[in-house]
Amino acid sequence: MRARPGTLRSLLVGLCAGAAVIALTTGPAQAASAGTAVAAGPAAHVAAASYVVSTPTSISASCSGQNAETIQAVDPAANAVYDAWMGCKGIGFAGSPDGGSTFGTPLTLPGSTGQNGSRSWDPAITVAPDGAVYVAFMVARSGLTYPVVDVSTDHGASFRTAGQIAPPDANNWGDRDFITAGPDGTLYLTWDYGPSAAAVTFVCAASGSCSFATGDVNAVLQKSTDGGRTWSAMSHVSPGYPNSGADSAPVTVEPDGSIDVLYQGYVVTDVPTDNLTVAHTYATRSTDGGTTWSPPVRIGGGAGSMNNSEWWIDGSEALGPDGTLYATWDTQGSNSDTGWLSYSRDHGASWSPPVQVPSDTLNVPHVMQVVAGPPGIAYVGWLSSSDPRGYAQYLRTFSTTRGWLSAPVRVSQDFGTATVWPGDTFGFSATAPERLVLAWGSAVAPSASNDSIWTATVGVALS
């Protein structure tokens, strides 16, 4: 789930090119999984959503080598879609002026090109109310690890570096950043922070990234009111700093300015060694701009836990137009991995019982993300190698009153090589209540050893 120490994190994911527009109904698209599927929801399965998927296209063709771990934001006012990813010799970016139908030639973001031992990873992206596009990413330079923030004021045609966040400790540890803009234009950035990189030890997978065995890992938030030029001091989102055992903290701002954060919290033993054991998903909220945080609420108490060998980023959240918060994550058993969805109607104070999302619980990654649709509707996407043919991108629609409105459907046409890690994130946005744009990395023929970034639009018909 984290950058491999001393090298750039692996890049890659699953999906592809293919024929013309495909109409997908509610038939299951994943391989059957030996009796592990358990349909769940507040009501019996209702086939009430159908999908029309465009032919996936590559938007990273001009960037040689690996291109993966994309993340996405939209500007509905401009009908624009923006993707940033690891690639193009640093952090790549491409924009679409027509709602994701076509994308421009990718560019490499300033400040992201590695040199003299430096490296960049973990892009995050948001669009401010004035249309400015902000892309944050992590860098490691001269013994320090910290986020850099670039900005575009011309709808992604060009970027400049707005600022960077200087860590307060020498030889610190840092990782996965998330960025969002509030209704007044204030930028909020969360990242994983530890005062000492030497305290963090890793568990690395042969065909993936790394997780943590020990470390002073914490979820922190900083904000900027001047377009990313300067940043506030750290606000400690996870209680117990510097031994809180928290990471991977997506952030959402509600219309009234309240801040919602979801994070993965490990059980920490042997302080100050900080042995990290199992983890759970927690939600917390700030109503004073990030100065203080509500006591964290554990989500999905009966759904199991994440183990410390889970090397993909876990957890995402989305805010619906009716104020409903949605959260996704996955848990690991002794020989299984299960993706979940839960929702809250009281700003994260309490959460619904968890609902299983993918039909399978195979012992493979299920990288989960959620996007809000019309009131009471959530679109859940996941990237997984549960099919023996390799990595693929999947989608499903959920109603808080009716349960699942379709079986899982496969958005991708081709499968990405299972031994090539696709990255921790994928692009997933709604440009309209019933229109989605997805982007993902995938190592497919004829370049099955290298990833490309693929995109597709999905029209959703709800009944």
Side-chain angles (χ1 to χ4, degrees):
M1 120 182 340
R2 296 296 176 256
R4 187 177 295 271
T7 63
L8 181 64
R9 184 189 305 200
S10 317
L11 312 170
L12 323 157
V13 108
L15 262 149
C16 4
V21 175
I22 305 170
L24 294 179
T25 56
T26 58
Q30 291 174 278
S33 55
T36 57
V38 179
H45 170 75
V46 178
S50 60
Y51 311 88
V52 177
V53 183
S54 70
T55 301
T57 59
S58 172
I59 63 173
S60 63
S62 64
C63 296
S64 61
Q66 305 287 10
N67 293 274
E69 195 159 303
T70 189
I71 198 160
Q72 187 177 90
V74 300
D75 183 356
N79 194 31
V81 179
Y82 305 111
D83 277 284
W85 65 89
M86 294 172 62
C88 300
K89 302 185 183 303
I91 301 298
F93 172 90
S96 167
D98 53 12
S101 296
T102 62
F103 281 79
T105 302
L107 54 84
T108 302
L109 294 184
S112 71
T113 302
Q115 54 184 339
N116 299 324
S118 68
R119 55 194 176 92
S120 58
W121 70 98
D122 280 355
I125 190 168
T126 192
V127 180
D130 63 359
V133 183
Y134 292 91
V135 179
F137 50 89
M138 298 299 300
V139 300
R141 295 169 183 161
S142 303
L144 298 175
T145 304
Y146 53 91
V148 170
V149 179
D150 286 355
V151 61
S152 172
T153 56
D154 53 12
H155 303 291
S158 64
F159 280 83
R160 60 176 174 81
T161 297
Q164 59 189 36
I165 298 179
D169 303 288
N171 300 311
N172 73 297
W173 171 83
D175 204 39
R176 176 27 100 182
D177 53 315
F178 293 89
I179 190 170
T180 193
D184 63 352
T186 298
L187 296 175
Y188 299 93
L189 185 144
T190 61
W191 56 305
D192 306 340
Y193 186 81
S196 172
V200 181
T201 60
F202 297 84
V203 179
C204 297
S207 59
S209 190
C210 299
S211 59
F212 313 125
T214 66
D216 51 351
V217 301
N218 308 272
V220 301
L221 177 140
Q222 294 177 258
K223 64 181 180 181
S224 172
T225 58
D226 58 7
R229 289 185 290 276
T230 61
W231 293 83
S232 69
M234 288 181 182
S235 169
H236 301 147
V237 177
S238 49
Y241 184 92
N243 310 105
S244 70
D247 71 332
S248 187
V251 56
T252 300
V253 182
E254 299 195 27
D256 67 355
S258 299
I259 308 167
D260 299 299
V261 171
L262 195 77
Y263 69 85
Q264 179 173 264
Y266 291 92
V267 175
V268 182
T269 63
D270 301 323
V271 176
T273 304
D274 294 337
N275 182 52
L276 304 177
T277 57
V278 297
H280 302 278
T281 297
Y282 293 90
T284 185
R285 188 170 190 251
S286 174
T287 58
D288 56 11
T291 301
T292 61
W293 296 90
S294 64
V297 175
R298 180 172 156 183
I299 303 175
S305 62
M306 290 82 84
N307 62 41
N308 71 349
S309 61
E310 180 202 29
W311 35 269
W312 51 96
I313 288 173
D314 194 281
S316 76
E317 66 175 353
L319 178 66
D322 57 353
T324 302
L325 277 171
Y326 301 96
T328 57
W329 72 101
D330 65 321
T331 60
Q332 293 78 50
S334 59
N335 193 36
S336 65
D337 186 278
T338 306
W340 302 99
L341 168 72
S342 184
Y343 61 91
S344 171
R345 291 195 176 105
D346 55 10
H347 306 287
S350 63
W351 292 81
S352 70
V355 181
Q356 182 179 326
V357 183
S359 299
D360 75 275
T361 58
L362 295 176
N363 190 24
V364 296
H366 296 85
V367 181
M368 309 293 301
Q369 288 185 213
V370 62
V371 167
I377 297 293
Y379 303 114
V380 186
W382 64 98
L383 180 65
S384 180
S385 58
S386 54
D387 190 293
R389 290 170 288 184
Y391 277 106
Q393 184 75 56
Y394 300 95
L395 173 67
R396 202 173 186 187
T397 302
F398 180 81
S399 164
T400 58
T401 58
R402 292 190 287 167
W404 291 112
L405 302 185
S406 80
V409 297
R410 178 163 54 90
V411 177
S412 48
Q413 293 181 10
D414 299 327
F415 290 86
T417 304
T419 56
V420 180
W421 171 231
D424 293 316
T425 59
F426 55 89
F428 192 27
S429 301
T431 58
E434 297 185 9
R435 187 178 187 275
L436 305 173
V437 182
L438 291 93
W440 61 93
S442 192
V444 300
S447 300
S449 61
N450 290 321
D451 287 324
S452 297
I453 303 299
W454 300 87
T455 68
T457 61
V458 181
V460 185
L462 300 175
S463 61

